[in-house]
Amino acid sequence: KPKNLDSFCGIFINLCSAVSSQFAGALATGEFLMYFDYFARKQWGKEYLAAHHKEVEQEFQGVVYALNQPASARGDQSVFWNISVFDHDYLKEMFGGFFYPDGTQVDIESTYHLQKFFLSWFRQEREKELLTFPVVTAALLTDGAGGFKDTKFMQGLAEEQAKGLSFFV
């Protein structure tokens, strides 16, 4: 089992590669950033994004570039990888009752901030390289009146789209 962020990312890459080599189709990992956050906090503490953003970017780079590489086990195709980001309420509903093996719960706020960091990093990385994957889907809850519950998240998504990031909503 992984003991730190680096080993988690390595195991995640291996798992995605192994699973995708066994079938045709997309591999969706809606929990990737939640687990990434857990290992980053465990390794560097709660304020890891402020103190270790370069290391976080390196780990993202390692995962994203590894999964974009073609492999013979998949007919020389890369892993068709989908990732999801969630608004605050959606995150809380999906993972608020989840416990890690060590008994701790998901830190919704920390995961929420990591998602925003990832979107910004991924947009900037796509300006440097042609990266097909991951395909990003943003999940937002509506307020029932034609708007969104988490307007801050919605505004952040709009800003990322305005800067050139493409994703599904």
Side-chain angles (χ1 to χ4, degrees):
K1 64 184 180 180
K3 301 283 188 206
N4 57 44
L5 184 58
D6 189 51
S7 63
F8 162 72
C9 289
I11 290 169
F12 179 79
I13 292 165
N14 290 341
L15 174 66
C16 290
S17 297
V19 170
S20 67
S21 71
Q22 300 298 313
F23 68 92
L27 176 66
T29 59
E31 73 292 337
F32 169 70
L33 292 172
M34 177 194 76
Y35 281 109
F36 188 104
D37 176 72
Y38 168 78
F39 284 104
R41 280 185 295 106
K42 190 173 177 180
Q43 187 165 326
W44 295 310
K46 185 150 178 74
E47 301 301 321
Y48 70 89
L49 279 176
H52 297 280
H53 68 276
K54 289 293 183 198
E55 292 90 340
V56 169
E57 289 172 348
Q58 283 184 305
E59 293 294 346
F60 281 159
Q61 189 177 50
V63 171
V64 168
Y65 280 84
L67 293 179
N68 271 278
Q69 292 300 312
S72 60
R74 293 182 298 280
D76 292 323
Q77 294 182 346
S78 59
V79 174
F80 194 115
W81 178 35
N82 293 344
I83 190 171
S84 297
V85 293
F86 305 95
D87 74 13
H88 191 271
D89 293 321
Y90 212 125
L91 251 180
K92 195 171 181 180
E93 187 64 31
M94 288 284 290
F95 302 117
F98 182 85
F99 287 85
Y100 295 107
D102 67 0
T104 61
Q105 280 191 282
V106 174
D107 186 326
I108 298 296
E109 297 304 319
S110 186
T111 302
Y112 185 78
H113 292 295
L114 178 63
Q115 291 180 143
K116 292 168 74 174
F117 184 86
F118 174 79
L119 291 173
S120 177
W121 172 83
F122 192 49
R123 174 185 45 79
Q124 293 172 50
E125 202 64 25
R126 276 187 164 169
E127 292 170 1
K128 298 180 222 172
E129 291 291 333
L130 177 62
L131 295 169
T132 306
F133 301 107
V135 173
V136 178
T137 301
L140 298 102
L141 293 174
T142 58
D143 64 8
F148 296 101
K149 282 187 167 187
D150 188 345
T151 56
K152 183 178 171 186
F153 189 72
M154 185 269 305
Q155 286 294 329
L157 291 174
E159 288 172 17
E160 287 299 331
Q161 278 189 325
K163 292 176 182 175
L165 182 61
S166 62
F167 51 86
F168 294 102
V169 177

